[in-house]
């Protein structure tokens, strides 16, 4: 079975290779390796702010590091981590400052809209529908329907047929604070700053320093599952194998 799978893989590879002008299985494997490395590099570069690097210089250094004696490179390999980290920290600081100015302008303008309220933390919200049930505490478990969008209207997350269930002390700060303002049955719209959201982290479908807009309907409130009590363990030798176990 394994031989059949391998043969099929080689056939598919060589078929594509022939289309690309590659003549041997070695050529195909070399091409495939280049694709893998290239896609990996592309993924890493995509995490950088747009325009953060000079692609011509990057490509030149990449090719030279593969072909040239490392002692002849313009920068010693031992110095590259410090140079890269220092520069990327600077780029991130500049980008953070730009994003903060943009976000501050959004919240200043948004605060003027009818029905928008701002808490001491900077969380903004609108009451779309008031509820009549109880309000959760930070230690409660809640059920809620929600839709999350960016300021440009792009949806990045949301519930479908069933409400999400989670403990309020295990979510972003904007949710922990915001849902405590609600009563069961209520629908609110929250405008959450990066400081109360994911900060400068890049999340799936969420760029760094993003303002998050959530429409939330609180369905139910219950008590969170209490943490299991710690079991007392028998003393072990200083060199017990247990200390190396996960």
């Amino acid at each position: 079975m394994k031989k059949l799978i391998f043969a099929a893989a080689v056939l598919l590879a060589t078929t594509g290779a022939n289309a690309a002008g590659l003549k041997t299985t070695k050529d195909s494997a070399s091409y495939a390796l280049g694709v893998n490395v290239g896609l990996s590099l592309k993924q890493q570069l995509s995490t950088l702010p747009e325009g953060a690097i000079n692609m011509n210089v990057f490509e030149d250094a990449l090719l030279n590091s593969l072909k040239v004696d490392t002692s002849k490179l313009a920068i010693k390999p031992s110095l590259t981590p410090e140079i890269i980290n220092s520069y990327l920290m600077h780029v991130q600081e500049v980008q953070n400052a730009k994003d903060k100015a943009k976000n501050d302008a959004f919240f200043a303008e948004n605060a003027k809209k009818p029905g928008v309220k701002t808490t001491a933390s900077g969380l903004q919200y609108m009451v779309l529908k008031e509820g009549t049930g109880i309000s959760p505490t930070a230690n409660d478990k809640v059920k809620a329907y929600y839709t999350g969008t960016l300021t440009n209207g792009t949806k990045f997350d949301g519930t479908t047929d069933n409400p999400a269930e989670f403990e309020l002390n295990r979510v972003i700060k904007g949710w922990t604070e915001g849902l405590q303002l609600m009563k069961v049955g209520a629908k609110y719209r929250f405008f959450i700053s990066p400081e109360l959201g994911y900060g400068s982290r890049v999340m799936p479908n969420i760029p760094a320093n993003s303002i998050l807009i959530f429409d939330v309907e609180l369905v139910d409130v219950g008590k969170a599952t209490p943490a299991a009590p710690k079991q007392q363990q028998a003393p072990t030798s200083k060199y017990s194998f247990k200390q190396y176990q996960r």
Side-chain angles (χ1 to χ4, degrees):
M1 185 60 151
K2 290 183 179 179
K3 290 183 179 179
L4 287 174
I5 295 174
F6 177 75
V10 171
L11 178 60
L12 289 172
T14 54
T15 300
N18 290 335
L22 306 178
K23 298 178 181 180
T24 68
T25 54
K26 181 178 181 180
D27 290 344
S28 299
S30 301
Y31 190 88
L33 179 60
V35 169
N36 282 348
V37 172
L39 291 176
S40 178
L41 281 173
K42 183 179 179 180
Q43 175 61 32
Q44 293 182 55
L45 294 176
S46 69
T47 64
L48 302 178
E50 186 176 353
I53 65 171
N54 184 325
M55 285 300 297
N56 290 332
V57 174
F58 172 82
E59 291 170 3
D60 182 60
L62 180 62
L63 292 174
N64 284 337
S65 65
L66 292 172
K67 297 178 181 179
V68 181
D69 181 348
T70 56
S71 65
K72 298 179 181 178
L73 294 173
I75 297 176
K76 292 182 179 180
S78 60
L79 299 178
T80 57
E82 182 179 352
I83 293 172
I84 293 170
N85 290 335
S86 177
Y87 173 68
L88 292 183
M89 285 179 62
H90 169 70
V91 170
Q92 188 62 60
E93 289 172 358
V94 172
Q95 187 62 47
N96 287 345
K98 290 180 179 179
D99 290 341
K100 188 176 188 308
K102 182 179 178 181
N103 291 343
D104 288 347
F106 172 89
F107 281 112
E109 192 64 29
N110 197 55
K112 301 175 185 178
K113 294 181 179 179
V116 174
K117 301 178 182 179
T118 305
T119 70
S121 71
L123 174 70
Q124 292 186 347
Y125 68 96
M126 292 177 62
V127 178
L128 305 179
K129 175 188 173 185
E130 281 290 12
T132 56
I134 62 172
S135 296
T137 69
N139 295 319
D140 285 336
K141 179 184 291 186
V142 301
K143 290 183 180 181
Y145 289 104
Y146 70 92
T147 299
T149 59
L150 303 177
T151 54
N152 63 7
T154 300
K155 179 180 176 180
F156 59 82
D157 195 13
T159 53
T160 52
D161 298 330
N162 299 310
E165 184 173 355
F166 49 88
E167 296 178 13
L168 271 190
N169 58 9
R170 296 188 178 183
V171 292
I172 57 175
K173 294 178 181 179
W175 273 65
T176 302
E177 177 184 355
L179 268 74
Q180 292 183 76
L181 303 173
M182 304 177 70
K183 295 180 179 180
V184 171
K187 294 181 180 181
Y188 279 26
R189 177 170 297 158
F190 296 106
F191 305 88
I192 300 176
S193 67
E195 291 77 13
L196 299 177
Y198 295 111
S200 60
R201 288 179 293 167
V202 176
M203 305 297 289
N205 303 316
I206 302 176
N209 299 318
S210 288
I211 294 172
L212 309 177
I213 302 175
F214 285 100
D215 283 359
V216 182
E217 178 183 2
L218 184 60
V219 176
D220 195 15
V221 176
K223 294 300 179 184
T225 304
K230 294 183 179 179
Q231 295 182 352
Q232 187 173 4
Q233 296 181 345
T236 59
S237 165
K238 177 181 178 182
Y239 302 104
S240 169
F241 280 66
K242 291 184 178 180
Q243 61 183 312
Y244 302 111
Q245 297 175 351
R246 290 186 177 182

